[in-house]
Amino acid sequence: MDYDSLKTDRDDIVRDGALFEAYRRPGDLIDSQHPKITAYARRVAGEGSDRDKARQLYYAVRDDLRYDPYNTPMKREAYRASTTLAAGHGYCVNKAGLMAAVCRAVGIPARVGYADVRNHMTTKRLSELMGNDIFYYHGYTEVWLDGSWVKATPAFNRELTERFGLRPLEWDGVADSIYHPFDLGGRRHMEYLGYRGVFSDIPFDEIRGAFRHYYPRMTRAQEEMPLGGDFGAEGALEATTK
């Protein structure tokens, strides 16, 4: 597959041809019907409007689950929302899938989308494993609120952003929540380069194929076992030396 040809400037292309009802139903990996997903979602969401519930869910997924790009193996089961919840950690792709799952579990339509971003605030180890500073298929969630899609990015937990010297990414359920272009010190943090479309479920096979193409060394290792390591500790250490 020519993965470069799948990139576009538009953020609204429905790549899998899904109809709106698909964003309410469980998927294979966005398993919103799983008992642990439904119990967690109902407990966290509480009462109120869909926007109130979605905001509660956003902050729970953002902060209850540690951002960790090292310890999700490149295996389909590891990307299932219920698996991510049980693990207590994940990175942008599977945390976005979990956000979609918990929204659907309380009756709020949600889907997942992907973008290529240049991240200027990664760690030395992760950059070496990836071979570059571009994060292909960076995952986010789109939530249907008051008749429109609103982007939410619950990837970086508050503790991690504090260790890296970044602003925690807030979300009000009205405006899109995407990464800040600069960190607290005024250094460039995140730059969006293009989009890969929106989907009703995590397109695991496509993402795995793209990662094999763009990150061959890292992906070969992750298909065998988790890479291991503490991303937060790496970032905190490097932040003190800048």
Side-chain angles (χ1 to χ4, degrees):
M1 182 181 291
D2 181 3
Y3 291 101
D4 290 336
S5 69
L6 298 177
K7 187 168 68 172
T8 175
D9 292 334
R10 290 178 54 187
D11 63 357
D12 61 347
I13 296 177
V14 180
R15 285 279 314 286
D16 57 359
L19 300 178
F20 186 82
E21 282 305 309
Y23 307 134
R24 300 182 186 274
R25 298 193 301 262
D28 175 30
L29 299 183
I30 300 179
D31 56 342
S32 54
Q33 85 292 355
H34 191 282
K36 291 185 178 179
I37 293 288
T38 57
Y40 178 80
R42 291 168 183 168
R43 174 174 60 81
V44 167
E47 302 296 330
S49 67
D50 281 356
R51 178 173 288 114
D52 293 335
K53 293 177 181 178
R55 290 185 68 253
Q56 291 291 107
L57 293 168
Y58 170 82
Y59 285 104
V61 173
R62 190 192 75 175
D63 293 333
D64 287 354
L65 285 87
R66 184 181 78 256
Y67 178 84
D68 181 357
Y70 292 148
N71 292 298
T72 298
M74 185 50 67
K75 300 179 184 297
R76 177 178 292 275
E77 169 61 29
Y79 282 70
R80 191 160 280 124
S82 56
T83 304
T84 301
L85 180 62
H89 63 77
Y91 74 115
C92 61
V93 172
N94 47 339
K95 288 189 71 173
L98 175 59
M99 175 67 181
V102 293
C103 284
R104 291 182 194 178
V106 295
I108 304 172
R111 63 190 185 184
V112 286
Y114 303 93
D116 294 350
V117 299
R118 176 171 284 113
N119 184 354
H120 295 260
M121 296 297 292
T122 185
T123 66
K124 179 180 179 181
R125 181 193 178 209
L126 184 57
S127 293
E128 289 175 348
L129 285 166
M130 292 168 56
N132 58 64
D133 64 352
I134 298 177
F135 284 67
Y136 297 95
Y137 286 80
H138 152 68
Y140 58 89
T141 315
E142 288 194 341
V143 185
W144 184 258
L145 295 170
D146 291 336
S148 63
W149 291 109
V150 186
K151 292 182 178 63
T153 309
F156 284 1
N157 53 293
R158 176 177 289 276
E159 179 186 1
L160 184 74
T161 59
E162 291 173 350
R163 298 178 82 176
F164 271 72
L166 301 174
R167 296 180 178 88
L169 194 58
E170 310 297 346
W171 189 55
D172 61 7
V174 178
D176 288 339
S177 163
I178 58 175
Y179 284 117
H180 297 293
F182 299 97
D183 70 1
L184 292 173
R187 295 166 295 187
R188 181 168 289 280
H189 168 48
M190 192 76 76
E191 177 185 359
Y192 281 71
L193 306 175
Y195 293 90
R196 298 283 180 164
V198 294
F199 298 79
S200 61
D201 204 357
I202 297 172
F204 174 79
D205 291 337
E206 181 175 322
I207 291 173
R208 180 178 58 187
F211 284 8
R212 286 172 173 172
H213 174 72
Y214 292 119
Y215 315 126
R217 175 190 172 199
M218 183 172 74
T219 305
R220 282 197 302 269
Q222 285 182 310
E223 288 179 346
E224 296 298 324
M225 64 182 67
L227 296 170
D230 187 332
F231 182 72
E234 290 175 10
L237 179 61
E238 292 179 17
T240 62
T241 62
K242 291 180 179 178

